[in-house]
Amino acid sequence: MIDNTRRAGTATASAPAGIGNIGVGFDLLGHTITGPADRATVRRIDEPVVRITAITGDAAGFDRLPLEAGLNTAGRALIELRERHGLAHGFELALHKGIPLGSGLGGSAASCVAALVAANALLDAPITRDQLYPLALVGEAAASGSPAGDNVAPMLLGGVVLSTPVRVIALAAPRLYCAAVHPDYVLETRRAREALTAPYPLADFVRQSGHLALFLTGLARGDLELVAEGLRDVLVEPRRAPLIPGFAAVREAALAHGALGASISGAGPTVFGWFADRGHADTAARAMQEGFARSGLRSEAWVSPVAGPRAELVD
Amino acid sequence: MIDNTRRAGTATASAPAGIGNIGVGFDLLGHTITGPADRATVRRIDEPVVRITAITGDAAGFDRLPLEAGLNTAGRALIELRERHGLAHGFELALHKGIPLGSGLGGSAASCVAALVAANALLDAPITRDQLYPLALVGEAAASGSPAGDNVAPMLLGGVVLSTPVRVIALAAPRLYCAAVHPDYVLETRRAREALTAPYPLADFVRQSGHLALFLTGLARGDLELVAEGLRDVLVEPRRAPLIPGFAAVREAALAHGALGASISGAGPTVFGWFADRGHADTAARAMQEGFARSGLRSEAWVSPVAGPRAELVD
């Protein structure tokens, strides 16, 4: 689908927060949630450059983000858009951060996707969301050094998305709900990545792959029993959980209140659970917050359909 | 589904050969083929024992198989059937091996499944194929030491099957064809397993998981492009391929003749490819045989629908 064009002037787009990995699909699966979002306002300029004019926001720490376009996920993606599509003109970009930094909710991806969707609307010949994906991957790599699409892909397409380096596929999403709880705790992505560097025995892969296969089959068939059987991360979560104070209690709170499964969103420290209905998700979200509170951590919680929104132009 | 019962006397069942792993689903995915099969004739006896009376066959090396019931996959499965279901009676078992030993075509699994299907027909209260699965896993472990269901599960259900230690799921199988080529070469399962013991970096797993996800999504949607994108083993095949003389040439022959993908069946040395139609599969099978011939190996080839048969009672 081609977004509406606004060939000159300015466009603003909003991109939602996302749950990366969905526990069982490391670097491959993600979905968006209603709740926090990043906003990008892009102005088409005659100069052949990309320039970030401002980063503002509700999110703590936004003033630490790089204003140098090549080092910023959104700036880097627009540079790639100019280069790959041979644009003569440039862009000025202002970001407003609504997604907490370092939360595991895909804030850097959301800025990147919002900027691309806004800039695309200013092109003489706008491109499709699928065509924005490789550009978003390049932008995302500016933050993480890794080209995983598990956050940018669902922000581009909405809902639950499978992404590989060359392919995005929107998956069927049964009418499930997600509770995401973000503790007020700084977990550096670098530390979260380092926890995964030691190699893995094949048996762990087989177990995790089996869960992934059940999860995907469950989603495709709308079979919640299969989804629940599959929604278990035996590969990454055991290594990252010790980095998140209270994780075990929070996960257990989710399961005790009906979660089909619960795990870490992205690199953490946000913990999410999937639920068959909004009532269970609401109750569980409060219990999950109490879990963090017992570790002395304040937290924010959001409840959202798993089939969350995609990035959109805003007026 | 409950098989027809033959409460007394003797029953014979046949179980087809199978393609284990299907390249991208190590220990998880498999399908059956029309072609070689094992046969089990089971007699219900009053003595509370399981006894193997004979192993005969067309398959070279069948006379090396253990006649001790507890050490034989079929015997072990019937012992488990007696114990778990509290049977007062026993079984006498004769096996006829049609599947080449050590071929990677699931011969030990086929004997086990054929014995279970035959014995089940002799029970006072026969059980379902799903209920036979855990028994087949125990039998299979007698040969491989591992409880993988990628061979026994498709032999029980037919077609393409996803199996985990506790679950079997028949998958949609588009109208594809398989060419399987078995070279006259002995590759010990032990050596094939040993090649996999060194641990794996997470990045390899992410690549393989992405392929698995594309493959399963392609099967579920009948999208052959996705199936082809997914049917690539970057985890196990690189370690086992050097154990199979001519593997690279055989795989390339399959791909050059239209294979969606090609890899090793089970622990090898059989190489298989998947094709959109029988014509391509037939042509490719001959080219794959020529590939082995260039390494000085004679071979046998079979072409079959991917949606192969399940084990059945025979008269």
Side-chain angles (χ1 to χ4, degrees), chain A residues 164-218:
Chain A
T164 72
V166 296
R167 173 77 89 159
V168 289
I169 300 174
L171 299 179
R175 295 170 169 279
L176 299 171
Y177 286 83
C178 174
V181 179
H182 170 231
D184 184 12
Y185 180 79
V186 174
L187 170 56
E188 285 175 54
T189 302
R190 186 184 51 77
R191 277 183 69 210
R193 285 259 161 195
E194 277 173 5
L196 308 181
T197 49
Y200 297 75
L202 184 59
D204 285 1
F205 287 177
V206 173
R207 279 188 72 202
Q208 184 89 342
S209 298
H211 292 165
L212 174 62
L214 293 174
F215 183 76
L216 291 171
T217 304

CSV table of all heavy atoms in Angstrom, one decimal, chain A residues 164-218:
chain,number,residue,atom,x,y,z
A,164,THR,N,12.7,-11.6,8.2
A,164,THR,CA,14.1,-12.1,8.0
A,164,THR,C,14.9,-10.9,7.4
A,164,THR,O,14.3,-9.9,7.1
A,164,THR,CB,14.1,-13.3,7.1
A,164,THR,OG1,13.8,-12.9,5.8
A,164,THR,CG2,13.1,-14.3,7.6
A,165,PRO,N,16.2,-11.1,7.2
A,165,PRO,CA,16.9,-9.9,6.5
A,165,PRO,C,16.3,-9.5,5.2
A,165,PRO,O,16.5,-8.3,4.8
A,165,PRO,CB,18.3,-10.5,6.4
A,165,PRO,CG,18.4,-11.5,7.5
A,165,PRO,CD,17.1,-12.1,7.6
A,166,VAL,N,15.6,-10.3,4.5
A,166,VAL,CA,15.1,-10.0,3.2
A,166,VAL,C,13.6,-10.0,3.0
A,166,VAL,O,13.1,-9.8,1.9
A,166,VAL,CB,15.7,-10.8,2.1
A,166,VAL,CG1,17.2,-10.6,2.0
A,166,VAL,CG2,15.4,-12.3,2.3
A,167,ARG,N,12.9,-10.2,4.1
A,167,ARG,CA,11.4,-10.6,3.9
A,167,ARG,C,10.6,-10.2,5.2
A,167,ARG,O,11.1,-10.4,6.3
A,167,ARG,CB,11.4,-12.1,3.7
A,167,ARG,CG,10.1,-12.7,3.7
A,167,ARG,CD,9.4,-12.5,2.4
A,167,ARG,NE,9.7,-13.6,1.4
A,167,ARG,CZ,8.9,-13.8,0.4
A,167,ARG,NH1,7.7,-13.1,0.2
A,167,ARG,NH2,9.2,-14.7,-0.5
A,168,VAL,N,9.5,-9.6,4.9
A,168,VAL,CA,8.5,-9.4,6.0
A,168,VAL,C,7.2,-10.0,5.7
A,168,VAL,O,6.7,-9.9,4.6
A,168,VAL,CB,8.3,-7.9,6.3
A,168,VAL,CG1,9.5,-7.2,6.9
A,168,VAL,CG2,7.9,-7.1,5.0
A,169,ILE,N,6.6,-10.7,6.7
A,169,ILE,CA,5.4,-11.4,6.5
A,169,ILE,C,4.4,-11.1,7.7
A,169,ILE,O,4.8,-11.4,8.8
A,169,ILE,CB,5.6,-12.9,6.4
A,169,ILE,CG1,6.5,-13.2,5.2
A,169,ILE,CG2,4.3,-13.7,6.3
A,169,ILE,CD1,6.9,-14.7,5.2
A,170,ALA,N,3.3,-10.5,7.4
A,170,ALA,CA,2.3,-10.2,8.4
A,170,ALA,C,1.6,-11.6,8.8
A,170,ALA,O,1.2,-12.3,7.9
A,170,ALA,CB,1.3,-9.2,8.0
A,171,LEU,N,1.6,-11.9,10.0
A,171,LEU,CA,1.0,-13.2,10.5
A,171,LEU,C,-0.4,-13.0,11.0
A,171,LEU,O,-0.7,-11.9,11.5
A,171,LEU,CB,1.9,-13.8,11.6
A,171,LEU,CG,3.3,-14.2,11.2
A,171,LEU,CD1,4.1,-14.8,12.4
A,171,LEU,CD2,3.4,-15.1,10.0
A,172,ALA,N,-1.2,-14.0,10.9
A,172,ALA,CA,-2.5,-14.0,11.5
A,172,ALA,C,-2.3,-13.8,13.0
A,172,ALA,O,-1.4,-14.4,13.6
A,172,ALA,CB,-3.2,-15.3,11.2
A,173,ALA,N,-3.1,-12.9,13.6
A,173,ALA,CA,-3.1,-12.7,15.0
A,173,ALA,C,-4.5,-12.9,15.6
A,173,ALA,O,-5.3,-12.1,15.4
A,173,ALA,CB,-2.6,-11.3,15.3
A,174,PRO,N,-4.6,-14.0,16.3
A,174,PRO,CA,-5.9,-14.2,17.0
A,174,PRO,C,-6.2,-13.0,17.9
A,174,PRO,O,-5.3,-12.2,18.2
A,174,PRO,CB,-5.7,-15.5,17.8
A,174,PRO,CG,-4.5,-16.2,17.2
A,174,PRO,CD,-3.6,-15.1,16.6
A,175,ARG,N,-7.4,-12.9,18.3
A,175,ARG,CA,-7.8,-11.7,19.2
A,175,ARG,C,-7.3,-11.9,20.6
A,175,ARG,O,-8.0,-12.0,21.5
A,175,ARG,CB,-9.3,-11.6,19.2
A,175,ARG,CG,-10.0,-11.4,17.9
A,175,ARG,CD,-11.5,-11.5,17.9
A,175,ARG,NE,-12.1,-11.0,16.7
A,175,ARG,CZ,-12.4,-9.7,16.5
A,175,ARG,NH1,-12.1,-8.8,17.4
A,175,ARG,NH2,-12.9,-9.3,15.3
A,176,LEU,N,-6.0,-11.7,20.6
A,176,LEU,CA,-5.3,-11.8,21.9
A,176,LEU,C,-4.9,-10.4,22.4
A,176,LEU,O,-4.9,-9.5,21.7
A,176,LEU,CB,-4.0,-12.7,21.8
A,176,LEU,CG,-4.2,-14.1,21.3
A,176,LEU,CD1,-2.9,-14.8,21.0
A,176,LEU,CD2,-5.0,-14.9,22.4
A,177,TYR,N,-4.6,-10.4,23.7
A,177,TYR,CA,-4.2,-9.1,24.4
A,177,TYR,C,-2.8,-9.3,25.0
A,177,TYR,O,-2.4,-10.4,25.4
A,177,TYR,CB,-5.2,-8.7,25.4
A,177,TYR,CG,-6.4,-8.1,24.7
A,177,TYR,CD1,-7.4,-9.0,24.3
A,177,TYR,CD2,-6.6,-6.8,24.5
A,177,TYR,CE1,-8.5,-8.5,23.6
A,177,TYR,CE2,-7.7,-6.3,23.8
A,177,TYR,CZ,-8.6,-7.1,23.4
A,177,TYR,OH,-9.7,-6.7,22.8
A,178,CYS,N,-2.1,-8.2,25.0
A,178,CYS,CA,-0.7,-8.2,25.5
A,178,CYS,C,-0.7,-7.2,26.7
A,178,CYS,O,-1.3,-6.1,26.7
A,178,CYS,CB,0.2,-7.7,24.5
A,178,CYS,SG,1.9,-7.4,25.0
A,179,ALA,N,-0.1,-7.6,27.8
A,179,ALA,CA,0.3,-6.7,28.9
A,179,ALA,C,1.8,-6.5,28.9
A,179,ALA,O,2.5,-7.5,28.9
A,179,ALA,CB,-0.2,-7.3,30.2
A,180,ALA,N,2.2,-5.3,28.9
A,180,ALA,CA,3.6,-5.0,28.9
A,180,ALA,C,3.9,-4.1,30.1
A,180,ALA,O,3.3,-3.1,30.3
A,180,ALA,CB,4.0,-4.3,27.6
A,181,VAL,N,4.9,-4.5,30.8
A,181,VAL,CA,5.2,-3.8,32.1
A,181,VAL,C,6.7,-3.4,32.0
A,181,VAL,O,7.6,-4.3,31.9
A,181,VAL,CB,4.9,-4.6,33.3
A,181,VAL,CG1,5.3,-3.8,34.6
A,181,VAL,CG2,3.4,-5.0,33.3
A,182,HIS,N,6.9,-2.1,32.1
A,182,HIS,CA,8.3,-1.5,32.0
A,182,HIS,C,8.8,-1.0,33.3
A,182,HIS,O,8.2,0.0,33.8
A,182,HIS,CB,8.3,-0.4,31.0
A,182,HIS,CG,9.6,0.4,30.9
A,182,HIS,ND1,9.6,1.7,31.0
A,182,HIS,CD2,10.8,-0.1,30.9
A,182,HIS,CE1,10.9,2.1,31.0
A,182,HIS,NE2,11.7,1.1,30.9
A,183,PRO,N,9.7,-1.7,33.9
A,183,PRO,CA,10.2,-1.2,35.2
A,183,PRO,C,11.2,-0.1,35.0
A,183,PRO,O,11.8,0.1,34.0
A,183,PRO,CB,11.0,-2.5,35.7
A,183,PRO,CG,11.5,-3.1,34.5
A,183,PRO,CD,10.5,-2.9,33.4
A,184,ASP,N,11.2,0.8,36.1
A,184,ASP,CA,12.2,1.9,36.1
A,184,ASP,C,13.6,1.4,36.4
A,184,ASP,O,14.0,1.5,37.5
A,184,ASP,CB,11.7,2.9,37.1
A,184,ASP,CG,12.5,4.2,37.1
A,184,ASP,OD1,13.3,4.4,36.1
A,184,ASP,OD2,12.4,5.0,38.0
A,185,TYR,N,14.2,0.8,35.4
A,185,TYR,CA,15.5,0.2,35.7
A,185,TYR,C,16.3,0.2,34.4
A,185,TYR,O,15.7,-0.1,33.3
A,185,TYR,CB,15.3,-1.3,36.1
A,185,TYR,CG,16.6,-2.1,36.3
A,185,TYR,CD1,17.3,-1.9,37.5
A,185,TYR,CD2,17.1,-2.9,35.4
A,185,TYR,CE1,18.5,-2.6,37.7
A,185,TYR,CE2,18.2,-3.6,35.6
A,185,TYR,CZ,18.9,-3.4,36.8
A,185,TYR,OH,20.1,-4.1,37.0
A,186,VAL,N,17.5,0.6,34.4
A,186,VAL,CA,18.3,0.7,33.2
A,186,VAL,C,19.1,-0.6,33.0
A,186,VAL,O,19.9,-1.0,33.8
A,186,VAL,CB,19.3,1.9,33.4
A,186,VAL,CG1,20.3,1.9,32.1
A,186,VAL,CG2,18.6,3.2,33.5
A,187,LEU,N,18.8,-1.2,31.8
A,187,LEU,CA,19.5,-2.4,31.4
A,187,LEU,C,20.1,-2.1,30.0
A,187,LEU,O,19.4,-1.9,29.0
A,187,LEU,CB,18.5,-3.6,31.3
A,187,LEU,CG,19.0,-4.8,30.6
A,187,LEU,CD1,20.3,-5.3,31.3
A,187,LEU,CD2,18.0,-5.9,30.6
A,188,GLU,N,21.4,-1.9,30.0
A,188,GLU,CA,22.0,-1.6,28.7
A,188,GLU,C,21.9,-2.7,27.7
A,188,GLU,O,22.1,-3.9,28.0
A,188,GLU,CB,23.5,-1.3,28.9
A,188,GLU,CG,23.8,0.0,29.6
A,188,GLU,CD,25.3,0.1,29.9
A,188,GLU,OE1,26.1,-0.1,28.9
A,188,GLU,OE2,25.7,0.3,31.0
A,189,THR,N,21.5,-2.3,26.5
A,189,THR,CA,21.4,-3.3,25.4
A,189,THR,C,22.7,-4.1,25.2
A,189,THR,O,22.7,-5.2,25.0
A,189,THR,CB,21.0,-2.6,24.1
A,189,THR,OG1,19.7,-1.9,24.3
A,189,THR,CG2,20.8,-3.6,23.0
A,190,ARG,N,23.8,-3.4,25.4
A,190,ARG,CA,25.1,-4.0,25.2
A,190,ARG,C,25.2,-5.2,26.2
A,190,ARG,O,25.6,-6.3,25.8
A,190,ARG,CB,26.2,-3.0,25.5
A,190,ARG,CG,27.6,-3.4,25.2
A,190,ARG,CD,28.6,-2.4,25.6
A,190,ARG,NE,28.4,-1.8,27.0
A,190,ARG,CZ,28.8,-2.5,28.1
A,190,ARG,NH1,29.3,-3.7,28.0
A,190,ARG,NH2,28.5,-1.9,29.3
A,191,ARG,N,24.8,-5.0,27.5
A,191,ARG,CA,24.9,-6.1,28.5
A,191,ARG,C,24.0,-7.2,28.1
A,191,ARG,O,24.3,-8.4,28.2
A,191,ARG,CB,24.6,-5.6,29.9
A,191,ARG,CG,25.7,-4.9,30.6
A,191,ARG,CD,25.3,-4.5,32.0
A,191,ARG,NE,25.1,-5.7,32.9
A,191,ARG,CZ,24.2,-5.7,33.9
A,191,ARG,NH1,23.4,-4.6,34.1
A,191,ARG,NH2,24.0,-6.7,34.7
A,192,ALA,N,22.8,-6.8,27.6
A,192,ALA,CA,21.8,-7.8,27.3
A,192,ALA,C,22.3,-8.7,26.1
A,192,ALA,O,22.0,-9.9,26.0
A,192,ALA,CB,20.5,-7.1,26.9
A,193,ARG,N,23.0,-8.0,25.2
A,193,ARG,CA,23.5,-8.7,24.0
A,193,ARG,C,24.7,-9.6,24.5
A,193,ARG,O,24.8,-10.8,24.0
A,193,ARG,CB,24.0,-7.8,22.9
A,193,ARG,CG,22.9,-7.2,22.1
A,193,ARG,CD,22.7,-7.8,20.8
A,193,ARG,NE,21.4,-7.5,20.2
A,193,ARG,CZ,20.8,-8.2,19.2
A,193,ARG,NH1,21.4,-9.2,18.6
A,193,ARG,NH2,19.6,-7.8,18.8
A,194,GLU,N,25.5,-9.1,25.3
A,194,GLU,CA,26.7,-9.9,25.8
A,194,GLU,C,26.3,-11.2,26.5
A,194,GLU,O,27.1,-12.1,26.4
A,194,GLU,CB,27.6,-9.0,26.7
A,194,GLU,CG,28.5,-8.1,26.0
A,194,GLU,CD,29.2,-7.1,27.0
A,194,GLU,OE1,29.1,-7.3,28.2
A,194,GLU,OE2,29.9,-6.2,26.5
A,195,ALA,N,25.2,-11.1,27.1
A,195,ALA,CA,24.7,-12.4,27.8
A,195,ALA,C,24.5,-13.5,26.9
A,195,ALA,O,24.4,-14.7,27.3
A,195,ALA,CB,23.5,-12.1,28.6
A,196,LEU,N,24.4,-13.2,25.6
A,196,LEU,CA,24.0,-14.2,24.6
A,196,LEU,C,25.2,-14.7,23.8
A,196,LEU,O,25.0,-15.6,22.9
A,196,LEU,CB,23.0,-13.7,23.6
A,196,LEU,CG,21.8,-13.0,24.3
A,196,LEU,CD1,20.8,-12.5,23.2
A,196,LEU,CD2,21.1,-14.0,25.2
A,197,THR,N,26.4,-14.2,24.1
A,197,THR,CA,27.5,-14.5,23.2
A,197,THR,C,28.1,-16.0,23.3
A,197,THR,O,28.5,-16.5,22.3
A,197,THR,CB,28.7,-13.5,23.4
A,197,THR,OG1,29.0,-13.5,24.8
A,197,THR,CG2,28.3,-12.2,22.9
A,198,ALA,N,28.0,-16.6,24.5
A,198,ALA,CA,28.5,-17.9,24.6
A,198,ALA,C,27.7,-18.8,23.7
A,198,ALA,O,26.5,-18.7,23.7
A,198,ALA,CB,28.5,-18.4,26.1
A,199,PRO,N,28.3,-19.8,23.1
A,199,PRO,CA,27.6,-20.7,22.1
A,199,PRO,C,26.6,-21.6,22.8
A,199,PRO,O,26.7,-21.8,24.0
A,199,PRO,CB,28.7,-21.4,21.4
A,199,PRO,CG,29.8,-21.4,22.3
A,199,PRO,CD,29.8,-20.1,23.1
A,200,TYR,N,25.7,-22.2,22.0
A,200,TYR,CA,24.6,-23.0,22.5
A,200,TYR,C,24.7,-24.4,22.1
A,200,TYR,O,25.0,-24.7,20.9
A,200,TYR,CB,23.3,-22.4,22.0
A,200,TYR,CG,23.0,-21.0,22.5
A,200,TYR,CD1,23.7,-19.9,21.9
A,200,TYR,CD2,22.1,-20.8,23.5
A,200,TYR,CE1,23.4,-18.6,22.4
A,200,TYR,CE2,21.8,-19.5,23.9
A,200,TYR,CZ,22.5,-18.4,23.4
A,200,TYR,OH,22.3,-17.1,23.8
A,201,PRO,N,24.3,-25.4,22.9
A,201,PRO,CA,24.2,-26.8,22.4
A,201,PRO,C,23.0,-26.9,21.5
A,201,PRO,O,22.0,-26.2,21.6
A,201,PRO,CB,24.0,-27.6,23.7
A,201,PRO,CG,23.4,-26.6,24.7
A,201,PRO,CD,23.9,-25.2,24.3
A,202,LEU,N,23.2,-27.8,20.5
A,202,LEU,CA,22.1,-28.1,19.5
A,202,LEU,C,20.8,-28.4,20.2
A,202,LEU,O,19.7,-28.0,19.7
A,202,LEU,CB,22.5,-29.2,18.6
A,202,LEU,CG,21.6,-29.6,17.5
A,202,LEU,CD1,21.4,-28.4,16.6
A,202,LEU,CD2,22.2,-30.7,16.7
A,203,ALA,N,20.8,-29.1,21.3
A,203,ALA,CA,19.6,-29.5,22.0
A,203,ALA,C,18.8,-28.3,22.4
A,203,ALA,O,17.5,-28.4,22.3
A,203,ALA,CB,19.9,-30.4,23.2
A,204,ASP,N,19.4,-27.2,22.8
A,204,ASP,CA,18.6,-26.0,23.2
A,204,ASP,C,17.9,-25.5,21.9
A,204,ASP,O,16.8,-25.0,22.0
A,204,ASP,CB,19.6,-25.0,23.7
A,204,ASP,CG,20.0,-25.3,25.2
A,204,ASP,OD1,19.6,-26.3,25.7
A,204,ASP,OD2,20.7,-24.4,25.7
A,205,PHE,N,18.7,-25.5,20.8
A,205,PHE,CA,18.0,-25.0,19.5
A,205,PHE,C,16.8,-25.9,19.2
A,205,PHE,O,15.8,-25.4,18.7
A,205,PHE,CB,19.1,-25.1,18.4
A,205,PHE,CG,20.1,-24.1,18.4
A,205,PHE,CD1,21.1,-24.1,17.5
A,205,PHE,CD2,20.2,-23.1,19.4
A,205,PHE,CE1,22.1,-23.1,17.5
A,205,PHE,CE2,21.2,-22.2,19.5
A,205,PHE,CZ,22.2,-22.2,18.5
A,206,VAL,N,17.0,-27.2,19.3
A,206,VAL,CA,15.9,-28.1,19.0
A,206,VAL,C,14.6,-27.8,19.8
A,206,VAL,O,13.5,-27.6,19.3
A,206,VAL,CB,16.3,-29.5,19.1
A,206,VAL,CG1,15.1,-30.5,18.9
A,206,VAL,CG2,17.4,-29.9,18.1
A,207,ARG,N,14.8,-27.6,21.1
A,207,ARG,CA,13.7,-27.3,22.0
A,207,ARG,C,13.1,-25.9,21.6
A,207,ARG,O,11.8,-25.8,21.5
A,207,ARG,CB,14.1,-27.1,23.5
A,207,ARG,CG,14.3,-28.5,24.2
A,207,ARG,CD,14.5,-28.2,25.7
A,207,ARG,NE,13.4,-27.8,26.4
A,207,ARG,CZ,13.4,-27.1,27.5
A,207,ARG,NH1,14.6,-26.8,28.1
A,207,ARG,NH2,12.3,-26.7,28.1
A,208,GLN,N,13.9,-24.9,21.4
A,208,GLN,CA,13.4,-23.6,21.0
A,208,GLN,C,12.7,-23.6,19.7
A,208,GLN,O,11.6,-23.0,19.5
A,208,GLN,CB,14.5,-22.6,21.0
A,208,GLN,CG,14.1,-21.2,20.8
A,208,GLN,CD,13.8,-20.4,22.1
A,208,GLN,OE1,13.5,-21.0,23.1
A,208,GLN,NE2,13.7,-19.1,22.0
A,209,SER,N,13.3,-24.4,18.7
A,209,SER,CA,12.7,-24.5,17.4
A,209,SER,C,11.4,-25.2,17.5
A,209,SER,O,10.4,-24.8,16.7
A,209,SER,CB,13.6,-25.3,16.4
A,209,SER,OG,14.8,-24.6,16.3
A,210,GLY,N,11.3,-26.2,18.3
A,210,GLY,CA,10.0,-26.8,18.5
A,210,GLY,C,8.9,-25.9,19.0
A,210,GLY,O,7.8,-25.8,18.5
A,211,HIS,N,9.3,-25.0,20.0
A,211,HIS,CA,8.4,-24.0,20.5
A,211,HIS,C,8.0,-23.0,19.4
A,211,HIS,O,6.8,-22.7,19.3
A,211,HIS,CB,9.0,-23.3,21.7
A,211,HIS,CG,9.2,-24.2,22.9
A,211,HIS,ND1,10.0,-23.9,23.9
A,211,HIS,CD2,8.7,-25.4,23.2
A,211,HIS,CE1,10.0,-24.8,24.8
A,211,HIS,NE2,9.2,-25.8,24.4
A,212,LEU,N,9.0,-22.6,18.7
A,212,LEU,CA,8.7,-21.6,17.6
A,212,LEU,C,7.7,-22.3,16.6
A,212,LEU,O,6.7,-21.6,16.1
A,212,LEU,CB,10.0,-21.3,16.9
A,212,LEU,CG,9.9,-20.4,15.6
A,212,LEU,CD1,9.2,-19.0,15.9
A,212,LEU,CD2,11.2,-20.2,15.0
A,213,ALA,N,7.9,-23.5,16.2
A,213,ALA,CA,7.1,-24.2,15.3
A,213,ALA,C,5.6,-24.3,15.8
A,213,ALA,O,4.6,-24.1,15.1
A,213,ALA,CB,7.6,-25.6,14.9
A,214,LEU,N,5.5,-24.7,17.1
A,214,LEU,CA,4.2,-24.8,17.7
A,214,LEU,C,3.5,-23.4,17.7
A,214,LEU,O,2.3,-23.3,17.4
A,214,LEU,CB,4.3,-25.3,19.1
A,214,LEU,CG,4.7,-26.8,19.2
A,214,LEU,CD1,4.9,-27.1,20.7
A,214,LEU,CD2,3.7,-27.7,18.6
A,215,PHE,N,4.3,-22.4,18.1
A,215,PHE,CA,3.7,-21.0,18.2
A,215,PHE,C,3.2,-20.5,16.8
A,215,PHE,O,2.1,-20.0,16.7
A,215,PHE,CB,4.9,-20.1,18.7
A,215,PHE,CG,4.5,-18.7,18.9
A,215,PHE,CD1,3.7,-18.3,20.0
A,215,PHE,CD2,4.9,-17.7,18.0
A,215,PHE,CE1,3.4,-17.0,20.2
A,215,PHE,CE2,4.5,-16.4,18.2
A,215,PHE,CZ,3.8,-16.0,19.3
A,216,LEU,N,4.0,-20.7,15.8
A,216,LEU,CA,3.6,-20.3,14.4
A,216,LEU,C,2.4,-21.1,13.9
A,216,LEU,O,1.5,-20.5,13.3
A,216,LEU,CB,4.8,-20.4,13.4
A,216,LEU,CG,5.9,-19.5,13.7
A,216,LEU,CD1,7.1,-19.9,12.8
A,216,LEU,CD2,5.6,-18.0,13.4
A,217,THR,N,2.4,-22.4,14.2
A,217,THR,CA,1.3,-23.2,13.8
A,217,THR,C,0.0,-22.8,14.5
A,217,THR,O,-1.1,-22.7,14.0
A,217,THR,CB,1.6,-24.7,14.0
A,217,THR,OG1,2.8,-25.0,13.3
A,217,THR,CG2,0.5,-25.6,13.5
A,218,GLY,N,0.2,-22.5,15.8
A,218,GLY,CA,-0.9,-22.0,16.6
A,218,GLY,C,-1.5,-20.7,16.1
A,218,GLY,O,-2.7,-20.6,16.0
